[in-house]
Amino acid sequence: MVSGAPSANFSLTDHFGQRVDESSYRGQFLLVYFGFTHCRVVCPRSLAKLSVVLNRLGDAAAAIKPLYITVDPARDTPEVMRGYLERDSPRFTGLTGTDDEIEAAKRSFRVFAERKADAEDPDGYAVPHTAIAYLMGREGEYLAHFTDAVDEDAIVERIGTHIGIAANEDVG
Ligand code: NI
């Protein structure tokens, strides 16, 4: 493991209330994005973009587990995340946890997020966060990341390449 690379180590609760960790998804690629359901601009835009990417990958998307991990566990309960994702981003599974569990997941993926006052939020705060999607391999290893600035075409192509390469390696 390259020092400083994102890694998939987490112990969280999915939006159905089931406990999960990285071993729960072994054998699948992970497409992981961190955010919070009160996010007004960044998360809706990123989740919409990633959903289009997954649609465009067609049958290949079946090999990918899209995960949305909250950085706002105080508000993002499993029920809240399930409602939010089923409405707008049904391909994604939401993950939440205790403060400590979320901090550990953030450290593992090298994600930064910190609560900040926000007068426009009904509860008076927002949680600005790293806006990067992480592609992890079938064994949970880091493969690639996509910043907010990377467009759909480029993400489709790069994910397709990684999945194709991994599929060929599996044959050997
Ligand atoms: Ni967000």
Side-chain angles (χ1 to χ4, degrees):
M1 167 86 46
V2 178
S3 176
S7 66
N9 292 298
F10 55 84
S11 179
L12 297 167
T13 300
D14 75 12
H15 72 208
F16 299 107
Q18 301 296 312
R19 293 296 298 176
V20 295
D21 59 31
E22 64 280 357
S23 70
S24 307
Y25 306 113
R26 279 286 143 74
Q28 291 180 283
F29 293 87
L30 301 180
L31 185 63
V32 181
Y33 190 83
F34 284 73
F36 65 113
T37 65
H38 279 235
C39 188
R40 288 191 298 276
V41 176
V42 177
C43 283
R45 186 176 64 207
S46 293
L47 291 171
K49 180 167 77 172
L50 295 172
S51 294
V52 170
V53 164
L54 291 162
N55 289 341
R56 286 180 52 185
L57 285 165
D59 292 344
I64 303 169
K65 183 71 181 174
L67 299 175
Y68 179 57
I69 303 179
T70 188
V71 293
D72 186 14
R75 292 187 292 196
D76 287 340
T77 62
E79 295 74 19
V80 166
M81 299 195 81
R82 184 177 176 182
Y84 176 78
L85 292 170
E86 285 185 346
R87 188 177 61 241
D88 295 325
S89 310
R91 286 182 172 274
F92 279 81
T93 297
L95 302 183
T96 186
T98 65
D99 288 348
D100 286 348
E101 288 168 348
I102 293 298
E103 287 306 315
K106 285 162 58 183
R107 274 197 305 277
S108 176
F109 281 92
R110 310 288 185 260
V111 162
F112 178 81
E114 201 167 64
R115 192 166 157 155
K116 237 178 104 178
D118 179 355
E120 288 182 51
D121 183 275
D123 303 315
Y125 75 91
V127 193
H129 56 88
T130 303
I132 293 178
Y134 300 91
L135 180 67
M136 313 301 281
R138 293 185 191 274
E139 299 300 320
E141 75 279 17
Y142 168 77
L143 294 178
H145 69 271
F146 311 107
T147 66
D148 223 14
V150 182
D151 69 16
E152 285 167 18
D153 289 349
I155 301 175
V156 168
E157 187 183 330
R158 287 178 63 195
I159 290 179
T161 300
H162 278 290
I163 289 179
I165 288 167
N168 291 340
E169 284 172 353
D170 284 348
V171 172

